[in-house]
Amino acid sequence: MLKKALLVAMGLMLIVGLTAACSQQSGSGDSPSKPQTGASGLPDWMLTGGSGEVLATVNGSPIYLDDYKDRMEKQSPYIRARYADLEKKKEFLDNMVRFELLAQAAAARGYANDPEVIRSAKQVMTQKLMREEFENKVRREDITDDEMRKYYEEHQSEYNKPAMRRASHILVKVDEAAGPKAEKEARQKALKILKEAKGKEKEPNSFRKLAAKYSNDDSNKNRGGDLGYFASTEDGGPMVKEFSEAVFKMGKINDLTGPVRSKFGFHIIRLTGKRDKIERSFEQVKGQIQHRLFKDKRTKMFDDFIDGLKEKAAIDVKEATLDAYVVPGSKPARPGEEEAEEADAVPAKGN
């Protein structure tokens, strides 16, 4: 616990002086691992970061009046009301003295150069840079109505969606031009499957098992005949008209219907999901679009900023070293290991 407290203390101290440290180290021959230290035991660069009237010193390290006032005035009015007399104000100063002593003790133990401390300081520095670089340059309220309306018009599918249905099916395949005998046999087989499906409606996964057993639709039979969600043919959905109409006439989830004839054969259909039509006006989603555009602009500005830094930087990646490192618990991908993309459902128009 003590080490963590010291690390936090040092991290906060590093925020003040890390930039100065970089410039000082780059201009001298001293090794970064052995910084110059003052009477306080702190590295010299950590003694920078303040100015004005000195309120107190701790082993030669100054505590400035402006810093004291800044910290005091960040307290709530209720807290500040306690510090009306000298003794109380000295108590608040004592907290700053204690912090300074902890920082000096941590520096004496070498924590000024601890990788975790430096990493923490860098994180806080970058957060401050982000706030100062981006917060006032792109504001949510600066997104205009014209920008929002343009986005709305270009992304209609996000805010206006047709009714959707999800269904599973068992296909008894028969050619569209099959003769009366083949047609009759296929229909009778489909009726028999439908009867069996209705008789097992209360059994868990019964339709899935029947699809695996009987369906001629190899693209989804092992998924229980699941076709996922789709819009009606009238709304541009992918299924053939006969199949689509039959599904959208079905009432309750888990209802069965069939046999439904399409150019592929006879379908036994089970309704597994329903989504109502969604219609959202511009005014209804205006705030959502504003937030989206605000985030997009901030992200682009950040990416551009990073790209600019990269262009000016000398970056050398040792790929061989990186490649040689085996991440514990990682599993290298092998050719053909990823699942192949599933084929389109049989009832789709293009099949």
Side-chain angles (χ1 to χ4, degrees), residues 55-66:
L55 184 61
T57 58
V58 182
N59 292 324
S61 181
I63 295 176
Y64 295 95
L65 175 61
D66 285 347

Side-chain angles (χ1 to χ4, degrees), residues 172-175 178-188 266:
V172 177
K173 200 168 186 178
V174 61
D175 190 86
K181 183 179 179 182
E183 181 89 7
K184 182 179 179 181
E185 288 176 354
R187 181 177 177 81
Q188 287 176 340
F266 290 97

Side-chain angles (χ1 to χ4, degrees), residues 38-42 47 56-62 97 100-101 104-105:
S40 66
L42 293 172
L47 300 177
T57 58
V58 182
N59 292 324
S61 181
V97 170
E100 186 68 23
L101 287 169
Q104 292 177 16

Side-chain angles (χ1 to χ4, degrees), residues 124 126-136 298:
V124 177
T126 56
Q127 289 168 4
K128 187 171 183 179
L129 171 67
M130 292 285 289
R131 287 196 301 270
E132 294 183 356
E133 185 69 27
F134 303 116
E135 271 190 5
N136 296 323
R298 286 282 292 268

